[in-house]
Amino acid sequence: MSNPKFKPYTRQSIRQARQWQWLPPDQQEAVQVVSHVMPFRTNEYVMEQLIDWSRVPDDPIYRLTFPHRDMLPIEEYRTLRDLVMVKQDDAAIAAYVHQIRMRMNPHPAGQMTHNVPRVNDAPLRGLQHKYNETVLFFPSSGQTCHAYCTFCFRWPQFVGMEDMKFDAKETGELVSYLKNHKEVTDVLITGGDPMIMNTRSLADFIEPLLAPELEHIQNIRIGTKSVAYWPQRFVTDRDADDLLRLFEKVVAAGKNMAIMGHYNHAVELRQDIAQKAVKRIVGTGATLRMQGPLIRHINEDPHSWAELWRTGVRLGAIPYYMFVERDTGPREYFQLPLARAHEIFQQAYQMVSGLARTVRGPSMSAFPGKVVIDGVANIGGEKVFALQFLQARNPDWVRKPFYAKYDPEATWLDHLKPAFGQERFFFETEGQPHHVAPVERKVIPIGSAREGCAPHSNAA
């Protein structure tokens, strides 16, 4: 039996899929209209194996990969529908789509303004350096995915917004940068999805990191959704065995090869081939860590999270993060109140043994760092969220507890107010980069940061 061949579907080709005819006209229309704004790409494996078409449109993987009309406000949808379906005016469509995208906060948490390192006052286009220990690297040939998630916070990478895209043609600048930054221990190769590349191309980016002069690099990470959307990459693809040999080469060089696997629902790990992929990855000596955001309409059931973590542990993977959906893209469609996110995490956490309790969350990857909701408490008669930084721009903030007034409607760090009568959180005044002007309150808004001076490399 021949190995399955990867077959993607986009807005232009989705009509060729047999399942397209199963969708009622209003859902077909929504896909055609909303996919002008947000990236849309799925593949035959997702369509055949992960989506339960008897549950559409409420099937979680369908909502995870197919655009929906509720992802846009009513008036925006109506206007765009008229342009796309009636007037068919390409120039007017492009202008209106750009307007919608720019109000969607296309690069949250200072990705463009504060995370890009600079050398000789020039930005390094394919790198981000937010935390001292970790540099993110975006190889240009890895800036697409086997299928796009509708919530993806990196959506500008895929929609032609070239001035907001991260991509690097080769590793030369990365290696030079790392040689001068001995504090860096981790390189995260990300995208898009680096696993979209063939093994030879991936090796061209990874093998230079094994050089003796980069002995301070201890961990090479690869962020990927392929473990869920195309596990054949590790099992039956033509160069799957070569890929595993590459992982073994990294491990033999004395470094940790860490696959950061993005999973959003238990169904993604129920398939035999998905489980085999996990076993083959960990069999090389690499580690596989499981992470993903909590998303309304998709994975609000704590039983799904518990099943996902338990299955992963049984196969040798490590539950790592439950994230809060970021404040970008169609966030109104996906976001959940922080109080509800904490409830779901706590309920799922209670269902698993200590081996799965390596998972942390719910965690917000906000401008100042990764902020986890530790709990809800009553202190001195005031109901509060107990919070702390798991990672931060300023290392002194890490694991420093702080408290916010309990707000049942808040969905992001910016919505929270300090507890106990305080005017500001401690991180709003401590250790801000010297080039950033103080703001009235909350973390630095992206607009304000964009207007400031360019960041120096250590602040990125």
Side-chain angles (χ1 to χ4, degrees):
M1 186 177 183
S2 61
N3 294 337
K5 186 176 180 181
F6 176 72
K7 184 177 181 180
Y9 293 101
T10 64
R11 181 177 75 244
Q12 290 76 19
S13 62
I14 188 61
R15 297 174 187 272
Q16 301 170 12
R18 64 189 182 94
Q19 294 92 342
W20 180 253
Q21 303 306 319
W22 303 348
L23 297 179
D26 63 323
Q27 291 176 37
Q28 292 181 348
E29 176 191 284
V31 172
Q32 293 297 314
V33 172
V34 181
S35 62
H36 278 80
V37 178
M38 308 308 298
F40 170 57
R41 175 179 165 104
T42 187
N43 68 60
E44 201 162 71
Y45 172 76
V46 172
M47 301 267 282
E48 295 283 350
Q49 301 297 324
L50 300 186
I51 295 175
D52 180 352
W53 291 91
S54 69
R55 297 180 58 196
V56 169
D58 294 325
D59 175 79
I61 306 302
Y62 179 81
R63 289 192 178 274
L64 188 60
T65 54
F66 279 75
H68 302 269
R69 65 180 303 158
D70 292 344
M71 291 177 181
L72 296 178
I74 293 174
E75 287 306 315
E76 279 188 355
Y77 182 86
R78 288 174 177 168
T79 300
L80 185 58
R81 180 197 175 281
D82 184 57
L83 291 173
V84 170
M85 308 298 288
V86 180
K87 296 179 180 177
Q88 300 181 2
D89 183 335
D90 290 344
I93 291 171
Y96 192 60
V97 164
H98 180 75
Q99 177 183 327
I100 295 173
R101 288 173 178 167
M102 293 310 294
R103 68 118 180 114
M104 284 183 162
N105 189 21
H107 268 304
Q111 289 184 97
M112 292 293 294
T113 58
H114 289 71
N115 295 1
V116 179
R118 303 177 74 88
V119 173
N120 297 325
D121 204 35
L124 300 182
R125 178 181 171 93
L127 273 68
Q128 288 187 28
H129 192 180
K130 181 176 180 178
Y131 307 125
N132 283 343
E133 302 84 3
T134 305
V135 164
L136 276 62
F137 179 64
F138 297 76
S140 58
S141 49
Q143 299 314 305
T144 185
C145 295
H146 293 94
Y148 294 139
C149 296
T150 43
F151 67 83
C152 182
F153 77 94
R154 292 243 173 89
W155 58 270
Q157 294 284 100
F158 319 127
V159 295
M161 300 177 77
E162 293 300 321
D163 59 334
M164 295 189 177
K165 189 172 183 178
F166 293 96
D167 58 355
K169 297 292 189 292
E170 46 85 30
T171 55
E173 287 187 335
L174 170 65
V175 170
S176 296
Y177 184 78
L178 294 176
K179 286 179 181 178
N180 292 318
H181 288 269
K182 301 295 185 180
E183 77 277 11
V184 178
T185 59
D186 293 42
V187 174
L188 170 57
I189 304 172
T190 186
D193 192 332
M195 288 302 175
I196 204 79
M197 293 188 282
N198 62 43
T199 300
R200 180 179 298 177
S201 297
L202 187 60
D204 287 343
F205 290 107
I206 289 180
E207 289 177 349
L209 303 178
L210 307 182
E213 57 267 34
L214 296 181
E215 62 180 0
H216 58 290
I217 303 302
Q218 300 172 13
N219 306 297
I220 298 175
R221 312 186 201 176
I222 299 177
T224 182
K225 183 67 181 178
S226 61
V227 287
Y229 280 172
W230 188 248
Q232 291 86 345
R233 183 68 190 90
F234 308 93
V235 182
T236 60
D237 273 8
R238 180 180 302 175
D239 62 347
D241 289 346
D242 294 336
L243 178 63
L244 300 182
R245 300 295 82 79
L246 176 61
F247 293 171
E248 289 175 348
K249 183 175 183 178
V250 174
V251 174
K255 300 183 188 295
N256 174 34
M257 181 78 249
I259 306 303
M260 317 306 290
H262 295 262
Y263 295 94
N264 298 108
H265 195 277
V267 71
E268 295 171 333
L269 201 47
R270 290 176 190 159
Q271 314 304 312
D272 289 343
I273 194 167
Q275 297 193 10
K276 190 171 184 179
V278 175
K279 290 182 178 179
R280 282 172 64 85
I281 291 169
V282 300
T284 66
T287 56
L288 172 60
R289 295 179 184 268
M290 309 170 69
Q291 60 186 22
L294 176 60
I295 323 163
R296 189 161 60 100
H297 303 296
I298 292 170
N299 54 18
E300 299 170 73
D301 181 4
H303 291 87
S304 174
W305 284 98
E307 178 191 340
L308 178 64
W309 297 335
R310 282 195 301 261
T311 304
V313 167
R314 175 172 59 80
L315 298 170
I318 305 166
Y320 190 45
Y321 270 119
M322 176 197 280
F323 289 112
V324 175
E325 168 59 3
R326 288 200 182 191
D327 56 338
T328 183
R331 58 186 179 273
E332 293 84 0
Y333 183 81
F334 290 121
Q335 66 191 8
L336 283 165
L338 298 176
R340 177 62 181 147
H342 175 259
E343 288 177 2
I344 294 170
F345 178 84
Q346 185 179 41
Q347 290 167 12
Y349 198 80
Q350 291 170 353
M351 298 179 195
V352 299
S353 75
L355 292 177
R357 292 184 178 179
T358 51
V359 68
R360 296 172 291 185
S363 173
M364 292 175 277
S365 291
F367 178 86
K370 288 187 174 72
V371 178
V372 68
I373 305 167
D374 263 343
V376 177
N378 280 282
I379 300 176
E382 183 173 346
K383 192 173 185 179
V384 297
F385 285 118
L387 309 164
Q388 63 172 300
F389 283 99
L390 297 176
Q391 183 59 284
R393 292 183 183 275
N394 183 340
D396 292 339
W397 300 347
V398 175
R399 289 293 182 180
K400 185 173 181 178
F402 63 102
Y403 300 90
K405 293 179 180 178
Y406 180 81
D407 181 347
E409 304 300 323
T411 59
W412 194 247
L413 182 64
D414 285 359
H415 302 161
L416 299 178
K417 296 185 170 75
F420 314 131
Q422 298 296 311
E423 292 186 4
R424 298 185 182 184
F425 293 113
F426 75 91
F427 56 85
E428 293 175 338
T429 56
E430 289 183 18
Q432 294 285 17
H434 68 275
H435 57 271
V436 177
V439 293
E440 289 188 6
R441 69 170 318 276
K442 295 291 172 287
V443 298
I444 302 170
I446 297 304
S448 299
R450 196 183 304 278
E451 294 162 7
C453 301
H456 57 79
S457 60
N458 286 332

